[in-house]
Amino acid sequence: MRTQFKIIVKGLWKNKKYFFISTSMLFITFSFFLMLFTYVRSELNYDIKIPGHKNIYRVTTKVTQNGDLIKHTAKSQMPLGEALKEQIPSVVSYSRLLDEECLFRYDDIKMGRQKTYWVDNTFPDIFSIEIVEGNAADALTRPFTGMISEEIAKKFFGDESPVGKVLVENEGLNMEIRGVFKKPEHSSHFDYDFLMSYETVIFYNSFQDNWDTDMFYTYIQLAPNADVENVKTNMKKFAEATYLNHHEKKQQVELILQPMASIHLGSHLENELSVNNKAGFVIILAMLGLFTLLVSLLNYSGLITSRYKANQKSLVMIQVYGSRNSLVSSIIIETMLIHSLAFISALIFTLFCGNSLFDLINIPVSVSVLHTPILLIAFNLFCILFCSIIAIAMVFGYLVLNGISANQTIRKGKSGSQASLVIMQFSFSIFLIIFLAISIKQVHFMKNTNPGYDMGKVLALHTPRTLIMNRDRISRGNLFIEKLKREGLVESGCITSDLPGKPVHTDLPGFVWLSSPKNQELKVPADWISVDTSYFKTLGISLIAGLNFHGDIPSNADRIILNEKAVKDLGFESPEMAIGARIRGNSASLQQIGMEQFTIAGVVSDFHQEGLQEAVKPIAFTYSYFYLFGLYAVKVINPSVNTLASIQENWETLFPDDPFDYFFLDQRFHQQYKNETLFFKLCLIFGIIATLIACYGLFGISIETIAKRKKEISVRRVNGATAVSISSMLGYTYGRWVLYSFMIAAPCAYLATQKWLESFAYKTTLSWWVFVLSGFAAIVIALLTISGQTWQAATMNPAESLRNE
């Protein structure tokens, strides 16, 4: 065995080209697969490391009317958790959650837009939060107390203990820190640094008995042996007996149980706590990765088979002396040597460079999930075993089919298996190239389609958190905008509850039209945005009928402006016919302030509040400042560093206690295409890797083919064939294989891209030239791959070649 090992090492050292091709191909494959494995495993591990996660569920609210979905939100009502615990025995605990981005101050330290959860004192127990200092029960049982993460404690207090110290929250709420927790290291749809007592919310809020307003998230913990189907049945009965106000409006409310671990990949409702991924997307990536690995392993099997087939004398001796065991062990040892070298190199590369590569493509994943030695060793052994078995089968199949013996010359074997492998590899590569081209086209289409408003040069600033529920927030906001206009920094500005680039944020439980002039039963869900008189001017949204808001807030209290979609869904034949019509809004919050009936004052053109993945929705605009939070938006005349510095200087003069927190509207809008951009990047990576592997395989096969045809090529040269004609002859064979690959890949790619584009409300066209260009690119890549080999064979000295024969 030792002697055999030395012989194999010497053979690899002698055949450096084969050694480099096989090792580098496997290194690229393993590096890519380990990165993909890290990402997929991270996505599948969301929330599953929470002890008892199988018994934790989120309760969501689904409202339908006459079979039509009105809304399905991840939120629910404040009293729901307590009521479920009282009426359903299997519910052993619950926690409500209200999420908010808060401003916190301590001395001169200010931290704005901090992810804050207002939770019940049961939250740490249900989700197994590790407390490193203080007491969770003490921190979350009383109003105006809470806990912070270790990282936040370090930023505010350094090495001092934060327990007992007071942080000033938003408009001046003094929150005493009674505990410090360690942020979970595992992936979760939760993300928070501040856990504040829900008792504080109850102290200020009047929603304890409100079954209409969906502002809160409700998580329940079931008993370990609970019958989930029985719980669902009881929840259905509970909903039928509780949501009487909805029943009066002929609406049905259904409470849906979502298993904790299914939220990240399986939930895409309104008001999700975080941007969730799609299970189908992760599964597709995993399948593509496994197929890429399979192709690469088959490539290697083909390469090692070609290497042994090329050594015909050794195969003849094997047939004579029957030393088949020696051949088997040689293939296994060589495979183990090359695979282990490539895998260890790939593992080291991934561990040291993986996080940087993930950061480069904006994926929040850590390679720490690779710290599973048993799994990695098992994977490497599987690859070695797979390739060894395939290679041994191919070599011995070659022996049998070609009848190699001591008194027989080797007959010319057919290249059917080689052709099949090349066709399979390039079919996969062309498929990915087409998908890549279509994804580029779709992302470009979405980013360059006119959204219906002017988002260039629009700077948005979060309104001061220190002035929540304070009228100065509006008056000083108008003063701020006017000052910027006087200094020539902005053209116009407005104050609004929301801006395009995200789903509309509102604490109202949906804005539903209860009646229209033509159809009293018609109910149209619509988003609600509060604006001032300059909103449409600042964003460049066209008023196509009626008038804009004018005057003061009281004079506009019952006036409303709709977009074209809302007018159409309400049954009006034209925007002009909607002007002056009276409509009614359904919302418990609206009823509380006496805003139920509205007169349509104007109609604006449709625009994309969300990305082009979603269809335009009905939107209602009112002239009010009912919202707690909001945004100032200004149209900057000359965006530059100096302009931004001047705006910040004005901000700090008027709002000294609030950080200068801004974003540009076009950047926020394009962030909606984050998943599509990531998909494009991953398609690019897949395409490059798959094409590289296909080229490796084609290059290896071309070496073997040309070696077999040296005599034929030499004879042709002697008979007057030119180097160009011989190169063309060799290139034709490989080009034909790639053409067959295109014929297989093109229809598959057409069906797949068409299905993918169906997920977008607005999509690009499947242009024929994308398919033709992708096929042409594949042929060019294939010919470039073997060009050096074919030209070298076509220009070799025929006399020397024939003498060697």
Side-chain angles (χ1 to χ4, degrees):
M1 181 69 71
R2 187 175 180 181
T3 303
Q4 191 177 23
F5 180 79
K6 289 182 178 180
I7 293 171
I8 291 172
V9 172
K10 287 182 179 179
L12 291 175
W13 182 255
K14 183 178 179 181
N15 196 347
K16 294 183 180 66
K17 183 183 289 186
Y18 159 78
F19 178 71
F20 172 77
I21 290 173
S22 56
T23 306
S24 59
M25 178 186 69
L26 289 175
F27 168 77
I28 292 172
T29 303
F30 289 151
S31 298
F32 169 69
F33 187 82
L34 288 173
M35 294 282 290
L36 181 63
F37 172 78
T38 301
Y39 172 73
V40 172
R41 191 177 185 192
S42 176
E43 291 297 302
L44 296 176
N45 279 353
Y46 265 70
D47 293 313
I48 68 172
K49 292 188 178 181
I50 297 174
H53 73 272
K54 293 182 179 179
N55 298 318
I56 303 174
Y57 294 82
R58 183 174 70 179
V59 185
T60 66
T61 307
K62 182 179 180 180
V63 182
T64 57
Q65 188 167 35
N66 299 324
D68 297 326
L69 179 67
I70 292 180
K71 67 176 177 179
H72 191 181
T73 173
K75 292 185 175 183
S76 53
Q77 307 78 37
M78 178 182 278
L80 178 62
E82 184 176 0
L84 291 178
K85 186 176 184 299
E86 289 177 355
Q87 300 188 33
I88 302 178
S90 296
V91 179
V92 296
S93 186
Y94 73 92
S95 179
R96 294 161 294 189
L97 185 156
L98 178 67
D99 72 313
E100 184 182 349
E101 289 182 343
C102 294
L103 166 67
F104 287 96
R105 292 167 286 158
Y106 182 78
D107 290 341
D108 295 330
I109 303 174
K110 295 179 290 186
M111 296 178 64
R113 299 189 65 194
Q114 297 300 297
K115 196 70 174 177
T116 306
Y117 288 171
W118 304 85
V119 296
D120 286 298
N121 60 358
T122 54
F123 186 87
D125 289 333
I126 293 175
F127 299 105
S128 302
I129 306 299
E130 182 180 347
I131 310 301
V132 296
E133 188 176 357
N135 186 293
D138 179 46
L140 299 174
T141 303
R142 297 179 289 112
F144 312 111
T145 58
M147 299 192 299
I148 58 177
S149 68
E150 290 178 300
E151 293 83 354
I152 293 298
K154 192 75 174 176
K155 291 178 181 178
F156 273 117
F157 308 107
D159 295 329
E160 296 181 24
S161 173
V163 176
K165 292 185 170 60
V166 174
L167 291 178
V168 180
E169 184 260 352
N170 283 348
E171 68 272 33
L173 217 59
N174 291 323
M175 302 298 297
E176 182 183 358
I177 305 305
R178 301 300 304 163
V180 179
F181 62 88
K182 184 176 183 179
K183 287 191 71 171
E185 296 180 357
H186 57 78
S187 302
S188 175
H189 76 290
F190 286 138
D191 181 23
Y192 52 88
D193 282 295
F194 297 82
L195 292 177
M196 297 297 161
S197 68
Y198 205 90
E199 295 298 318
T200 312
V201 178
I202 296 175
F203 184 86
Y204 282 105
N205 225 308
S206 59
F207 291 110
Q208 290 92 325
D209 299 316
N210 189 325
W211 289 95
D212 293 312
T213 303
D214 310 318
M215 290 181 61
F216 312 91
Y217 298 88
T218 302
Y219 291 84
I220 62 173
Q221 186 178 35
L222 301 183
N225 298 321
D227 184 343
V228 178
E229 293 303 318
N230 184 53
V231 173
K232 291 179 180 179
T233 301
N234 289 334
M235 287 179 62
K236 183 177 180 181
K237 295 177 181 177
F238 171 84
E240 291 173 352
T242 304
Y243 296 93
L244 302 177
N245 189 31
H246 287 80
H247 299 159
E248 291 175 2
K249 295 176 286 189
K250 299 181 180 179
Q251 296 174 350
Q252 295 76 44
V253 178
E254 185 178 357
L255 298 175
I256 308 295
L257 280 183
Q258 285 187 327
M260 179 77 172
S262 71
I263 293 175
H264 178 65
L265 292 179
S267 183
H268 303 90
L269 308 178
E270 300 174 31
N271 305 307
E272 291 287 356
L273 271 172
S274 59
V275 178
N276 294 329
N277 206 340
K278 295 182 179 179
F281 176 65
V282 176
I283 291 171
I284 289 172
L285 287 181
M287 291 176 63
L288 289 176
L290 288 171
F291 190 79
T292 304
L293 175 67
L294 175 64
V295 169
S296 181
L297 295 180
L298 288 174
N299 249 357
Y300 172 78
S301 301
L303 285 173
I304 193 172
T305 303
S306 298
R307 169 169 149 75
Y308 277 85
K309 284 160 61 178
N311 195 350
Q312 297 174 1
K313 291 181 180 179
S314 296
L315 292 179
V316 169
M317 296 303 293
I318 289 169
Q319 192 75 342
V320 171
Y321 296 106
S323 55
R324 293 176 181 266
N325 291 338
S326 176
L327 177 61
V328 169
S329 60
S330 295
I331 292 175
I332 292 175
I333 292 171
E334 183 173 322
T335 301
M336 186 178 298
L337 194 66
I338 291 177
H339 272 248
S340 297
L341 178 62
F343 183 75
I344 292 172
S345 302
L347 182 59
I348 293 172
F349 171 80
T350 305
L351 290 174
F352 280 93
C353 304
N355 288 334
S356 299
L357 293 175
F358 281 128
D359 291 340
L360 191 64
I361 56 177
N362 297 320
I363 297 180
V365 174
S366 172
V367 295
S368 60
V369 299
L370 283 177
H371 297 163
T372 50
I374 295 177
L375 194 60
L376 295 174
I377 293 171
F379 170 75
N380 190 31
L381 290 176
F382 166 78
C383 294
I384 292 171
L385 185 62
F386 177 86
C387 289
S388 298
I389 292 173
I390 297 296
I392 290 168
M394 292 174 72
V395 169
F396 280 103
Y398 178 77
L399 286 171
V400 174
L401 291 175
N402 289 278
I404 296 178
S405 64
N407 59 358
Q408 286 182 305
T409 57
I410 299 175
R411 299 169 188 168
K412 187 177 180 181
K414 296 180 180 180
S415 61
S417 60
Q418 295 177 341
S420 299
L421 186 60
V422 171
I423 290 171
M424 179 180 68
Q425 293 170 343
F426 271 93
S427 295
F428 185 48
S429 300
I430 293 170
F431 176 89
L432 289 175
I433 290 172
I434 294 173
F435 221 121
L436 172 63
I438 295 298
S439 64
I440 292 173
K441 201 165 181 281
Q442 176 64 14
V443 171
H444 181 269
F445 169 78
M446 292 191 297
K447 287 186 175 181
N448 291 276
T449 297
N450 183 3
Y453 62 91
D454 182 11
M455 59 184 173
K457 300 182 180 181
V458 175
L459 178 73
L461 305 103
H462 292 272
T463 55
R465 289 296 197 263
T466 58
L467 298 177
I468 294 175
M469 299 301 291
N470 189 327
R471 298 300 301 178
D472 285 348
R473 183 171 57 92
I474 306 303
S475 58
R476 285 164 68 179
N478 286 323
L479 179 64
F480 171 69
I481 293 171
E482 289 301 319
K483 197 168 186 299
L484 296 182
K485 289 166 66 175
R486 286 197 305 271
E487 294 181 11
L489 298 172
V490 304
E491 296 178 22
S492 61
C494 65
I495 305 176
T496 175
S497 63
D498 224 318
L499 286 170
K502 285 185 178 180
V504 172
H505 171 79
T506 176
D507 289 333
L508 298 177
F511 190 71
V512 182
W513 304 121
L514 291 181
S515 61
S516 68
K518 292 189 175 182
N519 185 354
Q520 296 293 321
E521 296 298 322
L522 182 64
K523 298 171 179 62
V524 178
D527 288 327
W528 169 288
I529 300 178
S530 299
V531 301
D532 62 10
T533 56
S534 300
Y535 176 86
F536 301 115
K537 177 184 177 182
T538 302
L539 296 186
I541 297 173
S542 303
L543 189 73
I544 57 177
L547 299 173
N548 189 10
F549 297 117
H550 58 275
D552 54 15
I553 292 178
S555 63
N556 291 279
D558 66 340
R559 302 174 74 228
I560 199 166
I561 294 177
L562 306 179
N563 67 345
E564 292 177 274
K565 174 65 174 172
V567 168
K568 182 179 179 181
D569 288 358
L570 281 168
F572 293 102
E573 295 180 4
S574 67
E576 289 76 15
M577 294 190 67
I579 304 302
R582 295 284 286 179
I583 55 177
R584 189 177 181 86
N586 164 45
S587 166
S589 302
L590 292 175
Q591 293 168 6
Q592 289 174 8
I593 60 174
M595 292 172 59
E596 296 181 74
Q597 296 191 26
F598 299 89
T599 300
I600 301 177
V603 179
V604 296
S605 58
D606 284 337
F607 64 89
H608 292 280
Q609 172 70 26
E610 302 176 52
L612 273 69
Q613 305 96 324
E614 305 293 334
V616 171
K617 299 176 182 177
I619 301 179
F621 303 91
T622 59
Y623 184 16
S624 66
Y625 300 109
F626 175 72
Y627 47 89
L628 292 177
F629 308 110
L631 295 159
Y632 301 150
V634 293
K635 190 171 185 62
V636 182
I637 294 175
N638 180 28
S640 66
V641 175
N642 293 334
T643 300
L644 199 59
S646 299
I647 294 175
Q648 181 174 357
E649 185 179 343
N650 280 282
W651 175 274
E652 291 172 348
T653 301
L654 285 170
F655 311 108
D657 293 327
D658 292 89
F660 182 62
D661 187 9
Y662 71 93
F663 60 86
F664 281 96
L665 195 55
D666 55 348
Q667 294 174 351
R668 168 164 133 155
F669 190 83
H670 289 153
Q671 282 178 354
Q672 297 179 109
Y673 304 132
K674 181 180 178 180
N675 286 338
E676 286 71 31
T677 303
L678 173 61
F679 184 76
F680 152 68
K681 290 178 180 178
L682 291 174
C683 279
L684 177 61
I685 294 170
F686 266 112
I688 292 173
I689 298 297
T691 303
L692 271 175
I693 292 172
C695 290
Y696 269 115
L698 184 60
F699 187 75
I701 291 172
S702 70
I703 292 175
E704 179 196 354
T705 304
I706 290 170
K708 285 182 178 181
R709 301 181 68 175
K710 276 187 177 180
K711 184 175 181 179
E712 176 194 345
I713 293 170
S714 299
V715 172
R716 288 178 180 270
R717 287 295 309 277
V718 170
N719 290 329
T722 63
V724 173
S725 65
I726 292 175
S727 296
S728 301
M729 175 195 70
L730 295 171
Y732 169 75
T733 301
Y734 307 117
R736 182 183 57 188
W737 291 350
V738 177
L739 183 61
Y740 294 156
S741 301
F742 174 75
M743 294 170 65
I744 296 172
C748 295
Y750 176 81
L751 294 174
T753 51
Q754 190 176 49
K755 185 69 176 176
W756 178 64
L757 289 174
E758 286 178 2
S759 63
F760 299 90
Y762 306 89
K763 47 188 173 288
T764 187
T765 56
L766 288 174
S767 305
W768 63 268
W769 57 265
V770 171
F771 294 83
V772 174
L773 189 61
S774 300
F776 178 75
I779 292 175
V780 170
I781 290 171
L783 294 179
L784 287 175
T785 300
I786 51 92
S787 60
Q789 288 292 115
T790 55
W791 184 254
Q792 183 181 358
T795 56
M796 66 182 175
N797 188 339
E800 182 179 346
S801 177
L802 291 172
R803 183 169 60 250
N804 291 334
E805 288 289 336

